[in-house]
């Protein structure tokens, strides 16, 4: 089984943001210290990075699920939570990232191209981490001085992506199966591909590094190409994908084949036809040379066979009339390999300069708009540039009607809300009302009690619409209500709403000490009377339910102790 993997589906998930803290500062002599809950930390992101040391996508086949670290919760004393660690995943240069399309549990197919990591160091954030929730210290304002809630952290982005490796080699060896491509790369480099005398021995690309004096270049031995490959026949697109990034195409032609209907000229035209068909389907990256414009060379192989040498000498003038350079070689005897090696090195050096010039020219023509630098928490979209939400009336086959609210802000606010806290739910209602959601619901014909859904899929939240005054949706006496939530310590009519004076403290202290002295005197009188030691002594002669009680009425002498306790 080969260890070269050039296409995998990976499930990536950014870290969840940490929850905000709803802490209250408690300090001696400062009963009105106020909220001090810190913000939650942002979740980490999943980042793919082109790394020259990576040469395959094999690791992602065995470990297709990757997740970044979560942010931690905010703490009291306005301490923000720590940020989750980013997960940096190395991939070989030439890896293209696609959005994965397809039903759950079924094989995915490539969708929209998300990134093209052509050069070492190129990065792409595949799954962004969620933002941490705000603590109550950040939510406090002049009307909500002591919020009793905090916002929850946002969940990290989660999705499937397809990684597809398109080999970045200087020279691509193309040819029919068993033309000798694997033998050629084994003879010219240190690569050791599998070699056998049957078609489609090479099922995956083989890369080899070739030295020509002090110059170095890479050569790719890719699976065999047959007529109809551009339509998916044989290995089809599995082969063609690996020549998109090569700069030089070398036709390796078998001059010793005994198959009927095949000769070097017809083989060349058949291969060129498939390349032309595939070239029309490509979207080339910046600076890439179109396949029809890339230089070709003809490599006539197996000239160690006498009949093959004779055929090579016969067809060579025909190729030269087409303007093609021809090299006669033998991978068995190594004849002609030195001349081929240095000729390829010269072509590679020239093509590298041309590609670099094209990249610089096209880069200068592009208009690049860089976003504003993001400092601190993530900047939000400017208000009014795009609609913040949309309300749609839905109805199913059973006649059930509901209203669906979608949009970045409402969906994000719902995920940040702790629905176990009434004040947090009221804060959400205030935000939705200020955004205009309730006005739009009225315009769409919604009535109190109708079902409202905010968001889509598993994260949608359903509730019955209740446009109450507490939600801030209506006006009272012509003025908008203030924000929900209050600090009872700031209300003068509530217990603990104001600090006691020193005179009040002294009076309450003396009253407490007098009550304690009266209780101690009553307990001493009971002890002297034997109430606690002699069971025959009636503890309470006036209690009809007691063991010895007779329910007698009180007189002045019998109520002495009770009076003492009452005075205490």
């Amino acid at each position: 089984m080969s260890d070269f993997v050039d296409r995998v589906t990976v499930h990536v998930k950014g870290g969840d943001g940490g929850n905000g803290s709803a802490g209250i500062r408690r300090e001696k002599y400062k009963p009105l210290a106020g909220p001090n809950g810190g913000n939650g930390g942002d979740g980490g992101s999943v980042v793919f990075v082109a790394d020259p040391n990576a040469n395959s996508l094999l690791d992602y086949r065995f470990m297709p699920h990757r997740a970044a670290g979560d942010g931690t919760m905010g703490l009291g004393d306005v301490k923000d939570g720590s940020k989750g660690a980013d997960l940096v995943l190395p991939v070989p240069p030439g890896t293209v990232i696609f959005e994965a399309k397809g039903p759950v549990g079924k094989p995915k197919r490539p969708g929209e191209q998300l990134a093209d990591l052509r050069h070492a160091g190129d990065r792409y954030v595949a799954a962004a981490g969620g933002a941490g929730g705000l603590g109550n210290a950040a939510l406090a304002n002049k009307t909500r001085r002591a919020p009793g809630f905090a916002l929850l952290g946002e969940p990290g982005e989660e999705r499937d992506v397809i990684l597809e490796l398109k080999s970045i080699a200087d020279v691509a060896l193309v040819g029919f199966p068993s033309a000798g491509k694997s033998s050629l790369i084994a003879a010219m480099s240190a690569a050791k591909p599998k070699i056998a005398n049957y078609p489609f021995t090479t099922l995956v690309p083989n890369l080899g590094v070739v030295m020509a004096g002090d110059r170095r270049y890479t050569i790719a031995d890719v699976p065999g190409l047959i007529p109809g490959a551009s339509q998916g026949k044989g290995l089809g697109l599995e082969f063609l994908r690996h020549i998109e990034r090569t700069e030089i195409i070398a036709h390796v032609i078998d001059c010793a084949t005994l198959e009927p209907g095949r000769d070097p000229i017809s083989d060349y035209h058949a291969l060129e036809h498939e390349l032309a068909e595939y070239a029309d389907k490509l979207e080339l990256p910046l600076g890439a040379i179109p396949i029809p414009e890339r230089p070709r060379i003809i490599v006539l192989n197996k000239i160690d066979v006498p009949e093959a040498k004779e055929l090579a000498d016969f067809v060579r003038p025909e190729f030269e009339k087409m303007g093609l350079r021809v090299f006669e070689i033998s991978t068995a005897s190594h004849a002609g390999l030195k001349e081929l090696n240095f000729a390829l090195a010269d072509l590679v050096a020239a093509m590298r300069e041309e590609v670099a010039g094209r990249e610089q020219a096209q880069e200068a023509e592009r208009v690049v708009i860089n976003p504003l630098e993001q400092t601190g928490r993530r900047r939000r979209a400017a208000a009014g540039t795009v609609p913040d939400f949309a309300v749609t009336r839905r109805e199913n086959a059973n006649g059930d009607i509901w209203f669906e609210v979608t949009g970045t802000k409402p969906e994000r606010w719902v995920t940040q809300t702790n629905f176990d806290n009434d004040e947090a739910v009221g804060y959400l209602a205030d935000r939705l009302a200020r955004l205009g959601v309730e006005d739009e619901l009225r315009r769409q014909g919604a009535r109190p009690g109708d079902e409202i859904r905010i968001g889509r899929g598993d994260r949608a939240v359903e509730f019955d619409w209740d446009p109450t005054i507490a939600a801030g949706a209506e006006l009272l006496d012509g003025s908008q209500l203030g924000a929900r939530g209050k600090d009872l310590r700031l209300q003068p009519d509530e217990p603990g709403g104001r600090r006691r004076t020193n005179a009040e403290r002294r009076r309450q202290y003396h009253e407490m000490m007098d009550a304690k002295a009266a209780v101690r005197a009553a307990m001493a009188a009971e002890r002297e009377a034997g109430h606690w030691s002699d069971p025959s002594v009636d503890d309470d002669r006036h209690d009809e339910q007691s063991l010895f009680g007779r329910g007698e009425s009180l007189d002045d002498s019998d109520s002495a102790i009770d009076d003492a306790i009452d005075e205490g």
Side-chain angles (χ1 to χ4, degrees), residues 147-329:
F149 68 98
L151 298 184
L152 303 179
E154 297 180 28
E157 188 178 3
E158 185 174 6
R159 62 176 172 177
D160 291 333
V161 295
I162 293 179
L163 306 182
E164 188 175 278
L165 177 58
K166 298 183 178 180
S167 303
I168 296 183
D170 299 305
V171 181
L173 303 180
V174 302
F176 277 73
S178 299
K181 301 182 297 298
S182 298
S183 300
L184 177 58
I185 194 174
M188 296 183 65
S189 69
K192 302 298 180 184
K194 182 179 179 181
I195 300 172
N197 59 350
Y198 55 83
F200 293 114
T201 304
T202 303
L203 298 178
V204 296
N206 295 297
L207 295 178
V209 178
V210 183
M211 297 298 298
D214 58 349
R215 294 177 294 180
R216 184 174 64 176
Y217 61 93
T218 57
I219 188 169
D221 162 31
V222 290
L225 182 63
I226 62 176
S230 60
Q231 307 301 323
K233 188 176 180 180
L235 295 180
L237 302 180
E238 297 299 321
F239 158 78
L240 291 168
R241 183 171 67 247
H242 291 282
I243 67 170
E244 291 183 13
R245 307 300 174 86
T246 57
E247 300 167 355
I248 300 168
I249 298 176
H251 287 270
V252 180
I253 298 177
D254 183 4
C255 291
T257 181
L258 299 177
E259 294 184 23
R262 283 188 54 188
D263 61 80
I265 301 296
S266 62
D267 285 358
Y268 169 76
H269 287 298
L271 296 177
E272 282 296 322
H273 175 74
E274 295 304 320
L275 294 177
E277 290 290 327
Y278 184 65
D280 295 337
K281 305 175 183 179
L282 291 180
E283 293 183 4
L284 296 176
L286 184 68
I289 301 175
I291 289 181
E293 300 178 14
R294 297 177 190 177
R296 267 81 162 161
I297 64 171
I298 304 299
V299 180
L300 302 177
N301 193 16
K302 303 183 182 180
I303 62 171
D304 56 294
V305 179
E307 293 81 1
K309 172 61 175 174
E310 183 179 351
L311 180 60
D313 294 337
F314 178 77
V315 299
R316 178 168 187 158
E318 297 294 329
F319 285 115
E320 291 177 346
K321 289 179 182 179
M322 302 178 193
L324 300 172
R325 298 183 63 182
V326 182
F327 296 88
E328 299 179 12
I329 67 163

Side-chain angles (χ1 to χ4, degrees), residues 314-380:
F314 178 77
V315 299
R316 178 168 187 158
E318 297 294 329
F319 285 115
E320 291 177 346
K321 289 179 182 179
M322 302 178 193
L324 300 172
R325 298 183 63 182
V326 182
F327 296 88
E328 299 179 12
I329 67 163
S330 171
T331 56
S333 63
H334 289 200
L337 293 185
K338 184 175 182 181
E339 293 80 0
L340 175 63
N341 185 8
F342 281 90
L344 289 175
D346 295 337
L347 280 175
V348 167
M351 293 305 297
R352 286 176 178 174
E353 294 180 1
E354 182 175 350
V355 170
R358 289 196 179 201
E359 287 184 354
Q360 293 178 358
Q362 294 186 16
E363 189 71 34
E365 294 177 359
R366 291 199 307 168
V367 178
V368 179
I369 301 177
N370 294 320
L372 296 175
E373 181 181 358
Q374 296 182 354
T375 56
R377 302 186 62 83
R378 199 181 310 169
R379 294 181 182 269
R380 307 302 185 188

Side-chain angles (χ1 to χ4, degrees), residues 17-32:
N19 298 335
S21 172
I24 298 296
R25 186 178 182 184
R26 303 182 184 278
E27 188 174 340
K28 189 176 182 180
Y29 303 124
K30 291 185 179 180
L32 306 181

Side-chain angles (χ1 to χ4, degrees), residues 502-566:
N502 290 339
E504 291 174 337
R505 291 175 183 272
R506 285 193 294 270
R507 178 177 58 79
Q508 293 175 1
Y509 173 77
H510 290 303
E511 290 176 352
M512 179 184 66
M513 297 304 295
D514 293 342
K516 287 183 177 181
V519 170
R520 282 195 289 267
M523 294 175 63
E526 291 179 353
R527 188 182 302 108
E528 293 177 357
H531 290 185
W532 294 357
S533 58
D534 189 353
S536 64
V537 177
D538 189 1
D539 290 341
D540 190 354
R541 293 179 297 137
H542 314 291
D543 186 1
E544 297 180 353
Q545 304 298 327
S546 68
L547 180 63
F548 303 103
R550 298 182 295 276
E552 297 181 0
S553 60
L554 292 173
D555 54 21
D556 294 340
S557 60
D558 295 332
S559 61
I561 297 176
D562 292 336
D563 291 342
I565 296 176
D566 292 340

Side-chain angles (χ1 to χ4, degrees), residues 45 69 74 135 139 265 296 414:
S45 301
L139 295 173
I265 301 296
R296 267 81 162 161
V414 164

Side-chain angles (χ1 to χ4, degrees), residues 414-466:
V414 164
T415 60
Q416 293 176 332
T417 301
N418 179 11
F419 287 93
D420 294 332
N421 188 308
D422 292 338
E423 189 178 351
V425 175
Y427 178 68
L428 171 64
D430 288 336
R431 301 175 85 179
L432 294 175
R434 286 194 299 269
L435 188 62
V437 173
E438 293 193 346
D439 293 337
E440 183 63 20
L441 286 172
R442 290 190 181 91
R443 194 183 70 81
Q444 295 279 359
R447 297 180 179 179
D450 287 349
E451 181 180 351
I452 308 297
R453 298 181 185 178
I454 299 181
R456 301 187 183 93
D458 298 336
R459 294 182 179 178
V461 176
E462 302 178 6
F463 58 91
D464 294 333
W465 188 39
D466 184 16

